[in-house]
Amino acid sequence: MKARFAAVLAALMFSAVTVAPAAAQTRANDDRQAVAEGSSRAAAARQRRERRPAPPTPEQIMAAAQEQATLANTKCQVTEAKLLGETPAKTSVYEVACTAGPGYLIESKTPPSAMDCVLLAHSASVVRARDPAADVGSQCTLPANTDTLKVLREYAVKAGVPCTVDEAKVLGQSNDGGVMYEIGCADASGFWVKALNDNWTKTPCIQVLAEGGACAFTTAAENAAQVKQLLAGSEAAGCDVTEARLMGQNANGLFYEAKCAGADGVIARVNAENVVQQIYPCATAQRIGGGCTLTPAPAAAPAPAGGRP
């Protein structure tokens, strides 16, 4: 009996000795596999980092942005640039500020495309006016590019606007492909200016009104003051102009009507140099461009008794 018990105990002890090391070996193998997999992942990540190019330096971004601005024919001398990112087509997008004129968003396509920051801001304002929650797309954010009034003042100078600009805005594209802007002047009538193929033209607001347009930055009093200046030195210099309008023009010049405070109004014909050539009192100017409309026509004389003149 004792011999049989000893044999069973020995068998159990053997089983325990042989099973325990097998379980430990399995855990050790699992640990080595996990370590190996972790090392492999770390190595792969390290290789990816090593293969990934270093981000460009500010100097490299500036040089690349200037190259793209030049290729896009923007005439921009870049003063500041930032890399906004990469498109799905693997092109780079930059925002640049320039020494003069507008900044741009430039995409490094072939050839590069450049979007004017002033026009982008105008488009965004139009879209937001219709839907304040609308997505307006990429916009310029460099401080130099958000001061659109500064750029529009530069445009006014290019167009020969003779005033201190206090307000300005983009109007949109004209029928001939030019871009129109309204310029407001401090204490004077303003202008519409147009850029077309690097050429600038200006149209006084009093003419804009005569052609059916509108000027948000020019008042009726400012237009009256403009015509008052035209009348200086003429026989109508004493007219205290309270209202004025441009009637039109022909081969002889431009025709303005002026309403005078406490006196009969006049029509003035001026030449291309804005010098008055002739004054027509409203009382006798019915045949000049349809006559005066700002000054009430004199009342008709009562018919004599008997119904005969």
Side-chain angles (χ1 to χ4, degrees):
M1 185 68 176
K2 289 181 179 180
R4 186 183 307 166
F5 179 77
V8 172
L9 180 60
L12 289 173
M13 290 179 65
F14 179 79
S15 297
V17 169
T18 56
V19 169
Q25 182 67 32
T26 300
R27 287 195 298 272
N29 288 340
D30 290 344
D31 290 344
R32 281 195 295 271
Q33 183 177 355
V35 170
E37 290 176 354
S39 299
S40 177
R41 287 194 295 269
R46 184 170 59 254
Q47 289 174 355
R48 286 194 297 270
R49 287 194 299 271
E50 290 172 353
R51 287 196 301 267
R52 187 183 303 137
T57 65
E59 293 77 15
Q60 290 171 327
I61 292 173
M62 179 73 83
Q66 180 64 73
E67 179 184 21
Q68 295 300 312
T70 301
L71 291 172
N73 295 318
T74 62
K75 299 182 181 179
C76 170
Q77 183 61 46
V78 178
T79 58
E80 189 175 358
K82 65 179 178 179
L83 177 60
L84 300 181
E86 191 176 76
T87 69
K90 302 301 181 183
T91 58
S92 298
V93 179
Y94 301 88
E95 180 183 354
V96 300
C98 310
T99 53
Y104 296 90
L105 293 184
I106 302 177
E107 183 182 350
S108 61
K109 299 191 294 188
T110 304
S113 66
M115 294 170 283
D116 181 318
C117 288
V118 172
L119 298 183
L120 279 173
H122 167 67
S123 297
S125 67
V126 171
V127 171
R128 288 193 184 108
R130 293 196 297 262
D131 179 4
D135 180 4
V136 296
S138 298
Q139 294 293 308
C140 300
T141 59
L142 290 173
N145 290 339
T146 58
D147 186 1
T148 57
L149 183 57
K150 172 181 176 293
V151 176
L152 296 180
R153 284 193 179 109
E154 294 176 13
Y155 292 170
V157 171
K158 289 182 178 181
V161 171
C163 74
T164 299
V165 177
D166 59 358
E167 295 180 281
K169 66 178 180 179
V170 181
L171 294 173
Q173 193 170 45
S174 58
N175 293 332
D176 57 7
V179 181
M180 304 289 299
Y181 306 87
E182 182 182 350
I183 304 298
C185 298
D187 301 322
S189 55
F191 296 81
W192 278 14
V193 301
K194 180 172 73 172
L196 177 62
N197 300 326
D198 292 330
N199 294 316
W200 288 88
T201 56
K202 66 180 186 295
T203 304
C205 275
I206 195 168
Q207 181 177 340
V208 171
L209 295 175
E211 295 173 352
C215 286
F217 306 138
T218 295
T219 66
E222 288 171 337
N223 282 331
Q226 176 185 345
V227 173
K228 172 71 173 175
Q229 290 177 345
L230 292 176
L231 297 179
S234 74
E235 61 185 272
C239 171
D240 181 10
V241 183
T242 58
E243 291 183 67
R245 68 183 179 104
L246 174 63
M247 301 173 64
Q249 68 180 96
N250 60 23
N252 295 320
L254 291 166
F255 293 79
Y256 293 90
E257 179 188 355
K259 181 179 181 180
C260 306
D264 188 23
V266 297
I267 292 175
R269 175 172 63 84
V270 304
N271 61 15
E273 289 73 37
N274 282 330
V275 176
V276 174
Q277 302 297 296
Q278 192 166 356
I279 295 293
Y280 308 89
C282 282
T284 59
Q286 289 85 358
R287 303 178 74 177
I288 306 295
C292 296
T293 61
L294 301 178
T295 299
R308 295 191 178 189

